[in-house]
């Protein structure tokens, strides 16, 4: 009995490897987020991430095969979701789109999200492989999720069956990213609410 109690006490004192692993993973993502804002994507290295996170480089490679993979997960961590997650479908298309675009506005107002996305966007302009990877893993899945919500609205009669849903998705997303990227005007909830109303007026049945 005494030996059993001693073994239990020893196990209790040992660090939980799962908790330690999650702490390391969180430290790596935090380090990558900070460094992206400081040096940009091009100068970001796995060595620098490891040093900032206080882990060995092999610890990073245990979860991610490349720095691009790390940065993709930085985006996921910052937004709190995954690329291609279904949009809300309450039966009210306008309300659902306002919810999604308002959340996008809120994300862009988070300093870490703003710095990270700008660094990544700048690098995509001169790195076609990175741009394709971002489109494949982030942009296209999110666009498809938006189109799926619009298809549902076609079925309920809120959107014209002949509407070009690819173009509709661009009309909803493009102005938001344009205003954010070029800082042409404040990016607000009121702005995206008006954007949604304007686009949906063009998508209503009988407007073509």
């Amino acid at each position: 009995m005494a030996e059993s109690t001693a073994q239990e006490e020893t196990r209790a004192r040992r660090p939980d490897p799962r908790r330690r692993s999650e702490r390391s993973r969180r430290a790596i993502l935090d380090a990558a987020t900070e460094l992206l804002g400081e040096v940009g994507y091009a100068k970001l290295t796995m060595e620098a991430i490891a040093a900032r996170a206080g882990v060995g480089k092999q610890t990073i490679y245990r979860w991610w095969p490349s720095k691009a993979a790390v940065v993709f997960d930085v985006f996921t961590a910052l937004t709190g979701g995954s690329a291609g997650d279904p949009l809300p479908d309450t039966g009210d298309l306008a309300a659902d789109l306002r919810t999604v675009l308002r959340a996008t506005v809120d994300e862009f107002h988070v300093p870490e999200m703003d710095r990270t996305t700008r660094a990544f966007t700048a690098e995509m302009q001169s790195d076609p492989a990175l741009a394709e990877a971002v489109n494949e893993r982030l942009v296209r899945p999110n666009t498809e999720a938006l189109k799926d919500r619009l298809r549902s609205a076609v079925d309920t009669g809120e959107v014209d069956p002949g509407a070009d849903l690819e173009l509709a998705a661009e009309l909803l997303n493009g102005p938001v990213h344009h205003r954010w990227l070029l800082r042409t005007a404040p990016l607000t909830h009121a702005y995206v609410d008006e954007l949604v109303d304007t686009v949906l007026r063009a998508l209503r049945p009988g407007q073509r």
Side-chain angles (χ1 to χ4, degrees):
M1 178 68 70
E3 181 178 352
S4 176
T5 302
Q7 289 173 342
E8 290 175 359
E9 290 176 351
T10 299
R11 283 195 296 269
R13 287 195 297 269
R14 290 174 182 163
D16 185 337
R18 290 171 298 180
R19 185 176 300 173
R20 183 174 56 200
S21 177
E22 181 55 32
R23 280 200 301 267
S24 296
R25 187 177 182 279
R26 181 69 259 171
I28 292 165
L29 291 175
D30 289 344
T33 301
E34 294 169 3
L35 288 166
L36 275 168
E38 294 171 13
V39 305
Y41 180 84
K43 295 181 179 179
L44 182 67
T45 65
M46 296 294 248
E47 290 81 2
I49 295 172
R52 178 69 63 91
V55 301
K57 191 165 64 169
Q58 287 307 314
T59 299
I60 301 178
Y61 283 115
R62 186 181 307 158
W63 290 300
W64 298 280
S66 65
K67 71 173 183 178
V70 178
V71 174
F72 283 130
D73 278 1
V74 166
F75 276 102
T76 299
L78 287 171
T79 60
S82 299
D85 280 347
L87 271 65
D89 190 347
T90 65
D92 185 335
L93 178 62
D96 293 341
L97 293 177
R98 290 190 196 103
T99 296
V100 171
L101 292 183
R102 284 183 174 198
T104 299
V105 168
D106 293 342
E107 288 168 2
F108 282 145
H109 285 308
V110 175
E112 294 85 357
M113 183 68 174
D114 181 79
R115 289 196 303 268
T116 301
T117 309
R118 287 186 186 279
F120 215 39
T121 301
E123 187 62 22
M124 287 168 60
Q125 308 314 303
S126 58
D127 189 335
L130 176 63
E132 176 57 26
V134 172
N135 284 325
E136 183 66 27
R137 290 192 54 182
L138 293 175
V139 177
R140 289 178 192 138
N142 286 335
T143 299
E144 284 305 312
L146 175 52
K147 288 164 62 179
D148 284 343
R149 180 62 187 89
L150 293 173
R151 289 187 188 100
S152 176
V154 170
D155 294 339
T156 58
E158 292 180 278
V159 170
D160 193 301
D164 184 331
L165 300 187
E166 186 76 31
L167 179 58
E170 291 182 352
L171 289 172
L172 288 163
N173 284 323
V176 177
H177 288 82
H178 178 274
R179 182 171 283 209
W180 164 77
L181 183 62
L182 300 183
R183 307 181 197 270
T184 55
L187 187 57
T188 64
H189 287 183
Y191 170 71
V192 295
D193 287 353
E194 180 61 28
L195 174 64
V196 167
D197 290 344
T198 300
V199 173
L200 291 189
R201 278 197 294 272
L203 294 178
R204 287 175 188 155
Q207 297 302 306
R208 291 168 56 80

